[in-house]
Amino acid sequence: KIISHIKKISNDLIGLVYPHRCYACGNDGVENTVFCMDCLATVGSTDHFKVKDNEVLLRLRGRVDMQHGAALYNFYKEGKVQKVIHALKYKKKPQVGILLGCSFGFKYLESPYFDMADLIIPIPIHNKKRHQRGYNQSMMIAKGISEVTNIPISENYLIKEESAESQTQKIRSDRFTN
């Protein structure tokens, strides 16, 4: 308890010098979330955690055997969610993944459709990419989910053996195949 109290005081002091900013628009005063209130109002969360046959399931039906699936936010090219994802992947902001994971974890716990998972398995990235980035963005999101849900994480089930080219310029069907 003392250590967490010291950590909170340290973060508050750092926040005075380096204020927390919205990862989408740069506004000050954001804490423990990626979006300021203005951006969150325009981005909004999906209803996927509360709707049984939601858009994620409809899009993946016939391709992947799933009981339930959910996206936290709707993604629009050049939108605020894309800015946040770019901060996580390309601007060395691993805390973005943890914050997104925490948000996902809270929605997951509230959902009537998800059974409690036994394990979180983050999608691996190639060691070269991990070295360039300094972390695996999927693992950062998994850490946030685990922090909220207490579901353990394991990186021992999936292995990335080959380096693949970037998927950013591929069409949806090619990304899915990859």
Side-chain angles (χ1 to χ4, degrees), residues 128-178:
K128 181 180 175 185
K129 186 73 78 175
R130 184 190 298 254
H131 182 70
Q132 286 174 343
R133 194 170 287 152
Y135 56 90
N136 175 355
Q137 71 275 5
S138 180
M139 176 54 120
M140 295 301 106
I141 294 169
K143 283 182 178 183
I145 295 169
S146 179
E147 189 176 301
V148 171
T149 63
N150 292 315
I151 301 170
I153 302 170
S154 177
E155 292 183 281
N156 299 329
Y157 292 94
L158 296 176
I159 298 169
K160 181 81 169 190
E161 293 180 342
E162 297 178 18
S163 181
E165 62 188 70
S166 174
Q167 297 197 112
T168 55
Q169 301 302 315
K170 293 183 179 188
I171 61 173
R172 181 181 298 166
S173 60
D174 290 344
R175 288 193 307 265
F176 188 84
T177 301
N178 190 25

Side-chain angles (χ1 to χ4, degrees), residues 43-59:
V43 168
S45 296
T46 68
D47 61 357
H48 295 172
F49 293 89
K50 295 180 179 177
V51 175
K52 184 165 178 62
D53 289 322
N54 64 51
E55 188 176 351
V56 169
L57 288 178
L58 296 176
R59 286 183 180 219

